[in-house]
Amino acid sequence: MQKNIETFITDTLHKKGMRMTRPKKKFLDFFTSEEYLKTPQELLENIKQHNIDIGLTTVYRMLNYLMEAGLTKAYSINGELRYIFCPPDHHYHMICVKCLRVKNIFDCPVKDVKVDGFKIQSHQVDFFGICDECSKKEVNK
Amino acid sequence: MQKNIETFITDTLHKKGMRMTRPKKKFLDFFTSEEYLKTPQELLENIKQHNIDIGLTTVYRMLNYLMEAGLTKAYSINGELRYIFCPPDHHYHMICVKCLRVKNIFDCPVKDVKVDGFKIQSHQVDFFGICDECSKKEVNK
DNA sequence: TTATCTGCAAAAGGTTTGCAACTGA
DNA sequence: TCAGTTGCAAACCTTTTGCAGATAA
C-alpha cells in the first residue's frame, strides 16, 4: 500500500471516530494493490497465503466501510459479488472478461453528458474486454 | 408485454428445449414492462398484487435464464441485487439514484473506443442521476 | 404421452450480528 | 484508560436444489 493512500484512509477513518488497526492495515496492504476482482473469501485466502491472519468478518466490515466511503466498487459476476479498490480520483474501469483484471482509466472518454429530462449526477463507464496478457495466451492455444 | 417481445422470448426458450408456460408468461408480462430496478422479492410481491400467483423459485429461475440470455441486467445497490429487463437491442441505462427508475438510452454516446493494450469486446455506460419526477419532488420539499 | 416445469420445503451459501476479550490513541 | 475493534459462533437472508404432482407440445 502506498504511504499516501494509507495516510488518506487513516484520515477518513479518524473523521468517523474509527481507528487504523493492525488487521485493517494488513487488509488494506493487500486490497489496495490487488489488480483483480475478488470475492471476500478469495481476499481472505490470498491474505492468509502471506501468513497474515485476519478474520472474514474484518474483510466484510472493511469492504462495507470502503464501499460507503466510495473507495471500493462491487461487480456482480456470474452471481458472485466481486470487489476492487478504487483510488479516490474519478476514473473508469477496464475489466478483462477472462482473468478479471481491472485497469483504471483516468482519461475520461465521456464528459458533461446531458440526456432527456435527467440531470446527470455521476456516470460510470466500464469496458469489458480482453487484456494483453490474456490475448497472448489465446494466440498460443 | 409487447407481442413481439413475447414471441422473441418464446423462440429463445424453444431453441433450448424449454417451454413457454403460464407462470413464465405472467412473470414476463410484469417484468418486461417494469421501469424500476427490483429485487426478486419485490418482483414477486408486485406480481402477487395483481392477483397472480407464482412462486419465488420461478422468479429466480426466470431471472437466471434471462441473465444468461443477456436479456436482464443486475445491479448491486446497497448490498441488494436488483434486476431490470433489457430489450435485445444494445443500449445504455440511465438510472435515477432516488427512485431507481431505469431509462434505456439507444443513442450511443461512446463508439469504437480503444484504450491501451486492451481489445474492447463490449462496453457499458451507466449514468446515475435524478429523473425528472424526482427533481420535481425535490423542489416541492 | 412424456419431457419439462412448478412450487413447496429443505439445504446451501453468503453476509451480518452479539459478545467477550483485546487494543490503539 | 476506555471507546472502538476483533474474531468466533450463531443468526439471518438470499438463492438453489430435490422432489412429487402438474402441464405444454
Side-chain angles (χ1 to χ4, degrees), chain B residues 76-136:
Chain B
S76 171
I77 294 179
N78 292 129
E80 288 181 318
L81 278 180
R82 295 184 162 272
Y83 297 84
I84 192 80
F85 178 73
C86 299
D89 329 87
H90 183 56
H91 61 274
Y92 301 92
H93 284 152
M94 178 80 92
I95 300 155
C96 179
V97 293
K98 301 230 168 190
C99 68
L100 300 181
R101 185 151 71 99
V102 180
K103 205 164 185 174
N104 291 323
I105 306 295
F106 290 93
D107 184 20
C108 175
V110 191
K111 281 197 177 96
D112 304 321
V113 182
K114 282 175 193 172
V115 188
D116 287 6
F118 276 74
K119 274 192 288 186
I120 292 173
Q121 214 177 51
S122 68
H123 60 280
Q124 70 180 53
V125 185
D126 299 307
F127 299 95
F128 296 83
I130 314 284
C131 72
D132 38 11
E133 277 172 46
C134 286
S135 284
K136 282 173 208 152

Side-chain angles (χ1 to χ4, degrees), chain B residues 14 19-22 40 56-57 60-61 64 81:
Chain B
H14 285 175
R19 292 169 185 170
M20 176 57 88
T21 61
R22 207 185 101 82
L56 183 55
T57 311
Y60 276 105
R61 285 198 266 238
N64 287 348
L81 278 180

